[in-house]
């Protein structure tokens, strides 16, 4: 395998200091980075490598839980070059071109605003930086609609083969999200009970305590649907619903995921009011602290925006396996807890043989993606007692991933994604068709919301969203797990 050079654009940005460099540092400290991996940090500012590194180190210290070990830092810092590039100049990447080596793989990582993707690709090509083997990694969002995502993908396709394009959805890098594949496809008893004959419904909740974190300008233009549903929730839904892939090759997994997105029943003007609830937080209390409402957030530029910060959706996958099984999706900001979980609610048994007592509770599988990563399964057993001959009780089998012997911490998603991109394994990255089909479904839903005036309902920060979200599931005789 050719040695790899990693070139990070947007190296002085927030994502780089918060996620990218800490992940690389952890990999290096664990001896998982190739010894000969070189890193070029590219950003607009003119500054020396020393200034860049000092600044980076102090920012990283604020984001990392562990202390930065001096020896590890020296080795890590030794991999770096800093290159400033001003896009307004004709030969912006001239210095980068001299730094690159055609005998090595160039792994370009675009941690920049998406508006720069096309410009960077064009400039790389223009300045002769794409002559050797190369791959490109992109952060979301890939467009803001089907049309705009196609534009981005078309531009990428002019310069890179699809197999060399690594589109990040950081949820796919989370250990527990990958565990979904193991849970489903490495356990016969789970796999054989995974369809409409046994499952009543599925819930996917991605709740965050944080608000929009100073990103008003970005967030107000997109909202929770585009920011979270089109990508993260869609990926989780696909991993729950997809058929077993033929192998763990990227193509195999992507093919199965695309089939699910295509099988999603469209939510249009005739169904949107019964299937979608939108909300926006007002001031409230989380963990005993008063937190501002959406319009009081830093950087707010409006007093009447109807951008949703919460959305609940009842979706259906119209295929043989999932016919009649609703998927309830829910995601919001400023919720009482940070919780990402998937609930598989099994059907009640067809016949009750245990006397006059209540029928046993149907089994439930809870896949906790974050925090407290693990799996819980409710099971029914006999109460140990001589008084009642056969009375039942529900137990919970709990598998806590953090107690797993090999793990002293759950690695950050970016660690897995960096390793895979460096090793040329795109299976945990998102393919073009998945993204475009997902936008197609979301665009229709968003258009239906506008057409039918699906209003945003206010909810207090620190609550689980507007009461209409409870109604969405209550009226089917079901309830949210949390
Ligand atoms: C990002 C969204 O993709 O995911 C943010 O843009 C959101 O709005 C974040 O807060 C959530 O990620 P995680 O890993 O904290 O669940």
């Amino acid at each position: 395998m050719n040695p790899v050079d990693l070139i990070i654009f947007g190296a002085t940005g927030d994502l780089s200091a918060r996620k990218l460099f800490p992940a690389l540092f952890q990999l290096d400290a664990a001896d998982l980075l190739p010894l000969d991996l070189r890193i070029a940090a590219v950003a607009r500012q003119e500054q020396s490598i020393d200034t860049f590194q000092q600044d980076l180190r102090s920012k990283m210290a604020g984001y990392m839980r562990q202390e930065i070990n001096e020896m590890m830092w020296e080795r890590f810092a030794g991999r770096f070059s800093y290159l400033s590039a001003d896009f307004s100049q004709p030969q912006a990447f001239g210095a980068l071109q001299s730094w690159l080596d055609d005998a090595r793989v160039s792994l370009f990582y675009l941690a920049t605003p998406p508006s720069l993707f096309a410009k960077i690709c064009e400039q790389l090509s223009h300045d002769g930086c794409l002559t050797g083997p190369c791959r490109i990694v992109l952060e979301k969002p890939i467009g803001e609609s089907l049309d705009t995502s196609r534009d981005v993908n078309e531009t990428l396709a002019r310069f890179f083969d699809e197999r060399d394009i690594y589109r990040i959805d950081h949820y796919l890098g989370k250990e527990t999200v990958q565990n979904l594949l193991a849970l489903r496809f490495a356990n016969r008893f789970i796999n054989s009970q995974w369809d409409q004959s046994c499952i009543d419904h599925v819930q996917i909740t991605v709740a965050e305590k944080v608000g929009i974190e100073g990103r008003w300008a970005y967030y107000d233009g997109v909202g929770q649907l585009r920011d979270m549903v089109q990508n993260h929730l869609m990926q989780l839904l696909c991993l729950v619903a997809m058929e077993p892939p033929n192998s763990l090759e990227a193509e195999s997994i992507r093919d199965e995921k695309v089939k699910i997105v295509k099988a999603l029943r469209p939510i249009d003007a005739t169904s949107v009011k019964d299937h979608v609830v939108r909300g926006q937080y007002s001031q409230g209390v989380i963990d005993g602290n008063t937190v501002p409402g959406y319009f009081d957030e830093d950087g707010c530029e409006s007093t009447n925006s109807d951008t949703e910060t919460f959305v609940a959706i009842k979706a259906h996958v119209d295929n043989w396996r999932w016919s009649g099984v609703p998927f309830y999706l829910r995601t919001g900001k400023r919720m009482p807890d940070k919780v990402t979980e998937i609930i598989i609610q099994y059907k009640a048994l067809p016949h009750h043989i245990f006397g006059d007592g209540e029928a046993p509770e149907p089994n439930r599988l809870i896949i906790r993606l974050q925090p407290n990563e693990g799996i819980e399964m409710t099971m029914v057993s006999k109460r140990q007692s001589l008084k009642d001959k056969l009375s039942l009780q529900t137990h919970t089998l709990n598998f806590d991933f953090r107690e797993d012997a090999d793990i002293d911490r759950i690695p950050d998603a970016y660690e897995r994604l960096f390793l895979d991109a460096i090793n040329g394994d795109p299976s945990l990255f998102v393919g073009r068709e998945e993204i475009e089909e997902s936008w197609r479904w979301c665009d229709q839903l968003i258009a239906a919301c506008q057409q039918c005036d699906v209003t945003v309902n206010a909810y207090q920060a620190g609550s689980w969203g507007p009461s209409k979200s409870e109604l969405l599931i209550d009226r089917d005789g079901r309830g949210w797990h949390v």
Side-chain angles (χ1 to χ4, degrees):
M1 230 177 15
N2 288 2
V4 175
D5 288 334
L6 175 62
I7 304 101
I8 301 189
F9 294 87
T12 51
D14 186 54
L15 180 72
S16 295
R18 191 192 286 258
K19 292 284 183 188
L20 307 188
F21 289 115
L24 287 167
F25 179 78
Q26 295 286 14
L27 289 174
D28 204 11
D31 289 328
L32 289 169
L33 287 186
L35 284 175
D36 54 3
L37 178 95
R38 301 189 301 164
I39 302 175
V42 183
R44 205 175 276 260
Q45 292 96 306
E46 295 263 4
Q47 60 182 337
S48 70
I49 178 76
D50 290 342
T51 313
F52 169 74
Q53 286 183 351
Q54 276 163 21
D55 188 39
L56 175 64
R57 185 174 171 164
S58 69
K59 282 189 196 152
M60 276 171 59
Y63 291 126
M64 289 176 63
R65 282 196 209 123
Q66 304 84 349
E67 292 258 306
I68 297 180
N69 172 294
E70 198 52 47
M71 257 170 52
M72 292 301 167
W73 175 261
E74 287 302 314
R75 177 166 87 171
F76 185 56
R79 295 176 179 276
F80 278 94
S81 299
Y82 179 81
L83 304 170
S84 80
D86 179 352
F87 295 151
S88 59
Q89 300 303 315
Q91 280 287 321
F93 295 151
L96 175 61
Q97 196 274 335
S98 323
W99 183 88
L100 293 173
D101 178 347
D102 280 358
R104 303 166 64 90
V105 176
S106 302
L107 179 61
F108 300 108
Y109 195 117
L110 273 48
T112 62
S115 53
L116 293 179
F117 290 172
K119 175 86 186 134
I120 291 177
C121 291
E122 275 154 14
Q123 193 78 37
L124 283 172
S125 167
H126 176 267
D127 292 348
C129 298
L130 302 181
T131 49
C134 41
R135 300 179 201 132
I136 187 159
V137 186
L138 300 117
E139 281 292 334
K140 77 173 242 290
I142 307 286
E144 284 160 10
S145 62
L146 176 58
D147 286 347
T148 51
S149 71
R150 273 190 182 143
D151 289 346
V152 177
N153 285 327
E154 288 300 330
T155 305
L156 292 170
R158 277 169 45 214
F159 303 103
F160 298 91
D161 279 348
E162 178 63 19
R163 66 165 184 273
D164 294 322
I165 302 174
Y166 289 61
R167 299 175 189 84
I168 287 205
D169 183 313
H170 77 278
Y171 268 54
L172 292 178
K174 290 181 191 273
E175 279 286 309
T176 37
V177 175
Q178 294 157 60
N179 225 322
L180 265 172
L181 291 173
L183 178 74
R184 288 199 52 201
F185 304 126
N187 292 291
R188 177 173 278 273
F189 80 100
I190 288 196
N191 196 33
S192 59
Q193 313 284 312
W194 203 263
D195 63 18
Q196 45 73 33
S197 68
C198 298
I199 293 178
D200 176 74
H201 74 277
V202 176
Q203 297 181 19
I204 302 180
T205 292
V206 181
E208 299 180 88
K209 276 192 195 173
V210 293
I212 53 168
E213 297 186 291
R215 297 183 301 160
W216 175 277
Y218 158 75
Y219 190 87
D220 197 54
V222 292
Q224 198 73 350
L225 246 158
R226 293 186 177 95
D227 188 46
M228 296 293 288
V229 176
Q230 186 275 334
N231 36 69
H232 307 322
L233 274 90
M234 185 65 82
Q235 287 297 327
L236 296 180
L237 187 152
C238 285
L239 292 175
V240 171
M242 72 192 217
E243 294 301 311
N246 295 346
S247 72
L248 288 183
E249 294 291 313
E251 277 298 295
S252 263
I253 297 181
R254 288 176 185 181
D255 285 352
E256 297 305 336
K257 287 196 288 180
V258 168
K259 284 188 206 158
I260 295 300
V261 190
K262 286 186 173 168
L264 275 176
R265 188 180 302 167
I267 296 183
D268 59 15
T270 60
S271 55
V272 70
K273 290 229 161 165
D274 292 335
H275 288 73
V276 178
V277 174
R278 299 167 69 226
Q280 189 185 70
Y281 59 84
S282 57
Q283 181 182 311
V285 176
I286 299 182
D287 293 338
N289 301 315
T290 302
V291 293
Y294 185 62
F295 293 118
D296 297 319
E297 291 283 10
D298 287 347
C300 167
E301 286 163 9
S302 156
T303 47
N304 62 359
S305 150
D306 73 345
T307 296
E308 79 285 339
T309 60
F310 172 96
V311 64
I313 300 172
K314 177 175 159 185
H316 288 95
V317 178
D318 282 335
N319 67 11
W320 190 289
R321 186 186 285 266
W322 296 112
S323 175
V325 180
F327 283 69
Y328 299 97
L329 315 178
R330 178 176 62 155
T331 178
K333 307 252 183 240
R334 294 272 194 235
M335 308 264 101
D337 259 322
K338 176 154 179 83
V339 178
T340 302
E341 65 175 24
I342 298 171
I343 310 293
I344 309 295
Q345 179 62 60
Y346 288 88
K347 287 187 168 163
L349 292 164
H351 180 56
H352 178 46
I353 59 168
F354 296 96
D356 298 337
E358 276 189 24
E361 269 184 45
N363 300 118
R364 181 192 288 151
L365 180 67
I366 302 169
I367 305 162
R368 294 188 312 259
L369 302 173
Q370 57 184 16
N372 309 331
E373 292 82 351
I375 295 171
E376 274 177 36
M377 173 68 130
T378 64
M379 303 271 288
V380 177
S381 69
K382 177 192 175 303
R383 194 183 301 281
Q384 302 300 320
S385 154
L386 284 176
K387 276 195 246 149
D388 304 308
K389 187 167 172 206
L390 232 169
S391 86
L392 303 178
Q393 61 183 349
T394 301
H395 279 294
T396 302
L397 300 182
N398 195 352
F399 175 19
D400 189 337
F401 293 154
R402 292 162 309 165
E403 287 168 8
D404 206 319
D406 282 351
I407 297 181
D408 58 358
R409 64 182 183 94
I410 304 257
D412 186 78
Y414 279 94
E415 294 175 45
R416 170 84 271 150
L417 296 175
F418 264 124
L419 266 188
D420 287 2
I422 289 168
N423 293 329
D425 176 355
S427 55
L428 294 177
F429 294 82
V430 189
R432 173 175 183 165
E433 207 185 350
E434 284 171 77
I435 296 221
E436 293 183 2
E437 288 302 323
S438 172
W439 274 123
R440 188 193 303 282
W441 188 76
C442 288
D443 279 2
Q444 187 170 20
L445 190 159
I446 293 167
C449 286
Q450 283 161 357
Q451 194 184 336
C452 300
D453 207 11
V454 178
T455 43
V456 284
N457 304 278
Y459 63 95
Q460 259 195 345
S463 72
W464 287 102
S467 54
K468 277 194 172 171
S469 139
E470 304 295 329
L471 274 180
L472 177 87
I473 187 164
D474 279 1
R475 64 169 174 253
D476 295 341
R478 302 173 174 121
W480 293 110
H481 175 241
V482 280

